[in-house]
Amino acid sequence: MSRICDLTGKGYMNGNSVSNSNAKTKRKFYPNLQLKKFYIPEEDKWITLKVSTSAVKTISKRGITACINKFVKKGSI
């Protein structure tokens, strides 16, 4: 199961874990992904998406249909 947002395409970022002795080891910072069900009234069906919490905020602000159309036009999905 990939850890990538279905709408925005957000994935992990690389960085370092820094210990008390200042030794650095590589690590990954993963996005906060949630499985959410959204209702699309135009198609009268529910869809399940794995989206980041920032995408959930955008969907609640603009609506699911507008967000899907925007990201399709942008080429993210």
Side-chain angles (χ1 to χ4, degrees):
M1 193 162 120
S2 64
R3 298 181 189 176
I4 297 175
C5 179
D6 288 337
L7 284 181
T8 60
K10 279 188 178 184
Y12 67 87
M13 292 176 55
N14 290 324
N16 289 316
S17 287
V18 182
S19 67
N20 195 33
S21 65
N22 207 24
K24 294 167 181 69
T25 56
K26 286 292 188 184
R27 63 161 290 185
K28 293 179 181 178
F29 294 93
Y30 290 103
N32 188 4
L33 297 179
Q34 308 293 324
L35 274 176
K36 298 287 285 185
K37 288 177 75 173
F38 297 102
Y39 179 71
I40 302 176
E42 289 81 12
E43 299 178 12
D44 192 35
K45 68 177 186 178
W46 289 86
I47 60 168
T48 302
L49 297 173
K50 187 178 3 169
V51 292
S52 61
T53 51
S54 61
V56 172
K57 287 175 69 175
T58 303
I59 290 169
S60 66
K61 182 178 180 180
R62 297 194 177 131
I64 183 67
T65 307
C67 288
I68 288 176
N69 292 338
K70 175 188 170 194
F71 290 119
V72 165
K73 190 187 303 181
K74 184 179 171 184
S76 297
I77 56 172

